[in-house]
Amino acid sequence: MTPTLVRQHAGHAGPVPQVDPRARARDWSEIQERMLVPLYEAVYERLEVGCGTRLLALGCGSGLALLMAASRGAAVTGADPSSPERLALARQRLQPEAW
């Protein structure tokens, strides 16, 4: 079996590598969010999201839904207490200079 499929015991594993949570948040957003773009487009089209729309996203993650709504002219707000790294990424992506 490969090492990824076998649990390593504490005595054999060695030090645990340090992972930057901000880098993992960006990786997650770049890999996983692409699958959701067609869904958000369809929902926003059906709901006629645009200027005059206010969107509150609870559990907004890295902000793809907010970003797409904002690009249609909506005023957006997001919160995600479970993932401060992804929330920070959403904040960064929604800055006007990021567009």
Side-chain angles (χ1 to χ4, degrees):
M1 296 186 110
T2 64
T4 58
L5 299 176
V6 177
R7 281 192 180 174
Q8 296 180 356
H9 300 286
H12 303 277
V16 176
Q18 296 296 319
V19 177
D20 180 9
R22 291 172 300 196
R24 292 193 69 176
R26 182 165 297 283
D27 291 346
W28 181 89
S29 70
E30 290 175 357
I31 294 168
Q32 295 295 321
E33 282 185 331
R34 293 176 190 212
M35 297 183 302
L36 299 172
V37 170
L39 172 67
Y40 291 144
E41 284 291 340
V43 169
Y44 290 167
E45 186 68 29
R46 175 86 181 221
L47 295 176
E48 299 177 358
V49 171
C51 293
T53 302
R54 295 185 339 184
L55 178 73
L56 171 63
L58 302 176
C60 69
S62 55
L64 175 66
L66 297 172
L67 188 61
M68 291 178 68
S71 72
R72 291 171 156 260
V76 299
T77 303
D80 196 340
S82 68
S83 181
E85 294 83 16
R86 281 191 262 169
L87 183 60
L89 180 57
R91 227 180 250 124
Q92 178 186 357
R93 292 165 93 185
L94 286 163
Q95 294 298 318
E97 60 271 6
W99 295 25

